[in-house]
Structures are given as structure tokens and as C-alpha cells.
Amino acid sequence: MKVTRQIIATRRTMLRAQLYYLAKKSLWMYLFAMLIIGYYMPLPGQSWWLSAALYFVCLMVIVVAPLYYLSAGTKVKSGAFNFNIEFSEENIQVFYPKSNKAETKSWDWVQTIDIINNGARITVRMPNRLVIFLDRLNSGELAFFKKMKDALHK
């Protein structure tokens, strides 16, 4: 079986991928850092945990959110994340229409496959983070990705 999709990066899809990585990896480090700062530098007249919570919210709203928004826009404008991808049991074909370039990847390129609702979240091994969200898969395509997920964990 083959599953073919066209991936077009939009600001929404790039933010979705960035927020996935924020929630998975960075959020806990930011929270821990703000707890330490709140403990050693509490706001005047406030407890250390309330100070840490305020520091954390300010960091997220003032620094992280605007940076992620601007970064997503920059990635979309680059066009590097627009491609056609074909998954088969043997390999993965990636075609970049902008540069008219094609690549063949083995399944070792895929780090994880998560089945979510009627779709799949595929995290790939790249120098820069890439998460491919495949929504609205039919039952055959879902079965294919479940099979490939099981094959990855062996």
C-alpha cells in the first residue's frame, strides 16, 4: 500500500509543530528555570511560587509566543517545508516541487509515528525539527501507519 500526501507549510501548521515540540521538550525546562528564579528573586510582597508563576507567564507571553510566531512565518516564507511525500512499505519518497528535487528515505528517517484521532503524527530525524501531521486518513491508511509504527519499534 502507498499513502501519498502533499504537505504545504502554513503559519498554522508550522505553529502546530513548534507547539508540539514546546509541550514535549522545552516547556518543563522553562517552568523549572522560572521556579528557580522565583525562589531566589521573588517579587516584592509575593510568595516565591506566585513570583515563579508570574515570571513563567511573562516569559511565555512576552518572549516565547512572539518568537515562535515570527519563526513560523520565516519558515513558511522559505518554502523549504512544501513537498509531496509518498509512504510505501519499502521507503519514503519526498519530492520538492520548488527545486524539482526528489529524495528517497528509508524508514530509519522516521523517529516516531503516533496515531491520533483519524490521523498520524510522524516525527522525522532531521537536523531541524520536522513533524508531519497527516489528518483525515481512511481506515486502510490508518492500518498502514499502525503497521509501520509496530515495525519501527522492533
Side-chain angles (χ1 to χ4, degrees):
M1 174 173 205
K2 292 184 179 184
V3 178
T4 304
R5 288 287 192 267
Q6 180 179 19
I7 308 297
I8 298 174
T10 62
R11 189 180 296 266
R12 181 177 179 267
T13 58
M14 294 308 292
L15 279 172
R16 184 178 178 190
Q18 288 178 329
L19 291 176
Y20 167 74
Y21 271 106
L22 175 70
K24 186 176 178 184
K25 298 188 182 222
S26 305
L27 193 66
W28 303 112
M29 291 186 295
Y30 289 141
L31 183 60
F32 182 69
M34 293 304 109
L35 285 172
I36 292 171
I37 292 171
Y39 183 77
Y40 285 106
M41 295 177 10
L43 296 170
Q46 302 296 327
S47 64
W48 71 269
W49 58 269
L50 183 60
S51 297
L54 289 172
Y55 287 148
F56 180 75
V57 169
C58 288
L59 175 73
M60 290 293 121
V61 170
I62 295 172
V63 178
V64 174
L67 286 176
Y68 272 40
Y69 186 79
L70 293 172
S71 171
T74 303
K75 288 179 181 180
V76 168
K77 287 178 186 173
S78 75
F81 296 100
N82 295 335
F83 53 87
N84 298 325
I85 191 163
E86 181 181 282
F87 298 94
S88 67
E89 292 184 11
E90 296 81 34
N91 56 31
I92 302 167
Q93 297 281 335
V94 183
F95 177 71
Y96 300 96
K98 186 176 181 179
S99 62
N100 205 17
K101 202 171 85 171
E103 295 178 341
T104 302
K105 308 281 188 180
S106 70
W107 277 96
D108 293 339
W109 185 59
V110 174
Q111 186 173 354
T112 60
I113 299 174
D114 298 314
I115 307 299
I116 48 174
N117 297 330
N118 287 335
R121 178 179 52 225
I122 301 169
T123 309
V124 300
R125 291 182 168 96
M126 288 184 71
N128 47 354
R129 303 177 199 178
L130 179 62
V131 180
I132 301 170
F133 291 97
L134 302 174
D135 297 322
R136 296 184 296 272
L137 297 175
N138 62 37
S139 59
E141 293 169 336
L142 281 172
F144 171 76
F145 283 111
K146 285 178 185 176
K147 176 182 170 187
M148 297 315 292
K149 177 183 178 180
D150 293 339
L152 279 177
H153 293 296
K154 288 184 180 181

